[in-house]
Amino acid sequence: MNMDDVARRGLVLLGCGKMGSALLDGWLKGGLPATSVWVLDPSPSDWASGTGVHVNAGMPDNPAVALVAVKPQTMGAALPSMQALGGGGTLFVSVAAGTPLVRFAQTFGEATPVVRTMPNTPAAIGRGISALIGNAAATEAHLALAEALMGAVGQTVRLEEESQMDAVTAVSGSGPAYVFHLIETLAAAGVEQGLAPDLAMALAKATVGGAGQLAEDSPEDPAQLRRNVTSPNGTTQAALEVLMDAATGFPPLLTRAVTAAATRSRELARD
């Protein structure tokens, strides 16, 4: 299976909210014909309706892929509508947080190939990262196709075990919110030191955004990049002595935060 199969046999997108729309936009820009996509959504956006895809107009008999992008709490109502696609001919790709692979097996049967993914919100600007894990019925070709589909909104990585998805959720799924809060608090600290709020926010946004880009693009690891900025006994070292404190700094704080998110992810999967 490849993107040519998707164009020929069709793709069903169940749910076209922010993530579904970002994916659809990426696929269309990548050359997937709009006529190869069937969107099922109770309240489709004007944008989705204007793309030329089929909107709430049934679905093909044997689509190559069914991508599930509904909120986890609506999965119970949404999945049965696609039961006819189970059995092996259609690859299911899920971007629904907290929905384990076994849930799909219960609805569609063990022979149905399913790839579970965890993207994150920077997918909206094509800068996301998605972790993928397949069930026993998912072949290398299925995983490669899921990577191609998720690659429309950013990078992809494969997991070895589904249990790792809770940690992925805590690091990259929830992680953008941690960075947004860093920007908020960095700007607020600048105001404390006498900067105007709009100036402090502009400095904080550009600094975090630029440093993130540098960390992605540089061949040096973040620890070395940190050392490169830090002059002995200078201003950066004074700040890092606070931030890197083993008792009160970033290391214990982020460990507690990521642990809390991963623990909650496990709890939600059991609900």
Side-chain angles (χ1 to χ4, degrees):
M1 294 175 78
N2 54 35
M3 291 301 284
D4 290 339
D5 289 318
V6 177
R8 182 171 51 81
R9 293 171 52 198
L11 179 151
V12 177
L13 177 60
L14 181 63
C16 199
K18 287 181 182 173
M19 188 60 67
S21 295
L23 286 162
L24 177 58
D25 188 44
W27 299 332
L28 296 176
K29 285 177 177 171
L32 184 66
T35 51
S36 297
V37 180
W38 279 256
V39 168
L40 302 177
D41 191 287
S43 50
S45 66
D46 292 341
W47 173 81
S49 299
T51 58
V53 303
H54 307 272
V55 177
N56 295 329
M59 53 189 175
D61 293 334
N62 184 31
V65 178
L67 193 134
V68 182
V70 296
K71 288 189 166 28
Q73 55 268 36
T74 63
M75 286 288 265
L79 286 188
S81 68
M82 309 188 78
Q83 209 152 7
L85 303 182
T90 298
L91 167 65
F92 280 79
V93 178
S94 168
V95 299
T99 305
L101 290 168
V102 67
R103 178 82 179 278
F104 291 89
Q106 289 165 354
T107 304
F108 302 112
E110 299 283 351
T112 302
V114 182
V115 176
R116 179 183 172 191
T117 82
M118 168 56 70
N120 60 3
T121 54
I125 57 165
R127 294 288 308 279
I129 187 162
S130 304
L132 297 86
I133 185 80
N135 67 355
T139 64
E140 171 60 32
H142 288 129
L143 283 162
L145 178 55
E147 284 179 322
L149 291 166
M150 299 309 297
V153 292
Q155 301 175 52
T156 61
V157 294
R158 291 192 193 185
L159 303 182
E160 294 170 7
E161 303 286 342
E162 188 178 14
S163 59
Q164 295 173 307
M165 200 61 89
D166 298 307
V168 168
T169 300
V171 173
S172 61
S174 301
Y178 317 158
V179 178
F180 299 146
H181 188 52
L182 171 62
I183 294 171
E184 286 182 285
T185 53
L186 184 57
V191 172
E192 281 286 312
Q193 293 302 315
L195 296 175
D198 57 345
L199 174 58
M201 184 59 76
L203 290 169
K205 283 181 179 178
T207 299
V208 173
Q213 188 71 64
L214 182 59
E216 277 212 88
D217 293 351
S218 175
E220 296 180 311
D221 68 21
Q224 185 57 49
L225 292 173
R226 168 177 53 76
R227 289 190 284 269
N228 294 348
V229 183
T230 310
S231 304
N233 298 316
T235 59
T236 308
Q237 182 174 323
L240 287 175
E241 283 172 2
V242 176
L243 293 175
M244 297 176 72
D245 187 281
T248 59
F250 273 172
L253 182 64
L254 278 176
T255 297
R256 291 207 314 275
V258 170
T259 299
T263 299
R264 184 65 183 132
S265 179
R266 291 184 196 103
E267 290 169 355
L268 290 170
R270 288 196 295 269
D271 286 352

